[in-house]
Amino acid sequence: EQPNIPVFELLAETLESAGNTENLELLSRYFELCLLKTMGFQPQLRVCISCGTELKAVTNYFSNTLGGTLCPNCAATAAGQPVSVNGLKVLRFFTENNSCDASRLKLSVTLNKEIKLLLSNYLRCLLEREIKCASWLHQIEISLPKNRL
């Protein structure tokens, strides 16, 4: 085994930010997406993964199997889950900023849920199995005070 310094630095940065945020769930999503980026599995979020056109500010679709976002035209022929304009903006923000900046975002409950679902589905697809600790983490989430999620 070899040490993975970028992953360690990402974890250390995220844990440091955890003490200064009120939204640990959002910080978890930041960590998940940046970990995917660090490991070479960052989804395509700027152009359509199928046709290569720049994504417009409309509801687009995320394809787990293709590894990125589909424009509405290509989504008609490939399976994908809807991703809102704001959802895509947040995902892009995560990949382009640090955990301190990410932890300052204020998102609606709906947008938090959208990002969580999208990333958990993508992770499940990449791993080709359920994430065993997901139910355990859910139990921790429901036991935390509501202002920490």
Side-chain angles (χ1 to χ4, degrees):
E1 291 182 36
Q2 295 185 31
N4 191 323
I5 302 302
V7 171
F8 177 79
E9 289 172 346
L10 173 63
L11 178 60
E13 172 197 342
T14 306
L15 289 173
E16 185 176 327
S17 294
N20 303 319
T21 186
E22 293 187 10
N23 192 337
L24 293 175
E25 186 169 349
L26 181 67
L27 194 58
S28 297
R29 302 299 80 81
Y30 165 84
F31 177 78
E32 290 170 351
L33 188 56
C34 289
L35 180 62
L36 289 168
K37 177 182 176 182
T38 301
M39 301 304 292
F41 292 98
Q42 177 179 341
Q44 177 54 257
L45 302 171
R46 294 257 170 223
V47 298
C48 176
I49 195 79
S50 182
C51 70
T53 60
E54 188 173 329
L55 296 169
K56 296 186 177 19
V58 297
T59 297
N60 290 286
Y61 298 83
F62 190 86
S63 171
N64 296 316
T65 55
L66 295 176
T69 313
L70 295 162
C71 68
N73 292 336
C74 292
T77 60
Q81 65 188 54
V83 58
S84 68
V85 172
N86 287 335
L88 198 53
K89 285 180 181 180
V90 170
L91 294 171
R92 289 173 179 164
F93 186 87
F94 284 169
T95 62
E96 297 164 2
N97 292 278
N98 61 35
S99 62
C100 185
D101 293 337
S103 67
R104 289 190 198 119
L105 292 177
K106 303 290 184 206
L107 304 183
S108 69
V109 172
T110 304
L111 190 52
N112 256 330
K113 286 181 181 180
E114 175 186 347
I115 293 167
K116 181 179 182 176
L117 181 64
L118 187 143
L119 286 175
S120 66
N121 287 342
Y122 185 50
L123 284 166
R124 190 176 313 113
C125 179
L126 288 173
L127 296 172
E128 297 179 350
R129 64 179 63 161
E130 288 293 323
I131 301 170
K132 292 181 181 181
C133 65
S135 61
W136 177 73
L137 289 172
H138 178 70
Q139 291 301 316
I140 291 173
E141 285 177 4
I142 61 175
S143 68
L144 287 172
K146 294 297 180 201
N147 65 342
R148 294 287 289 168
L149 295 178

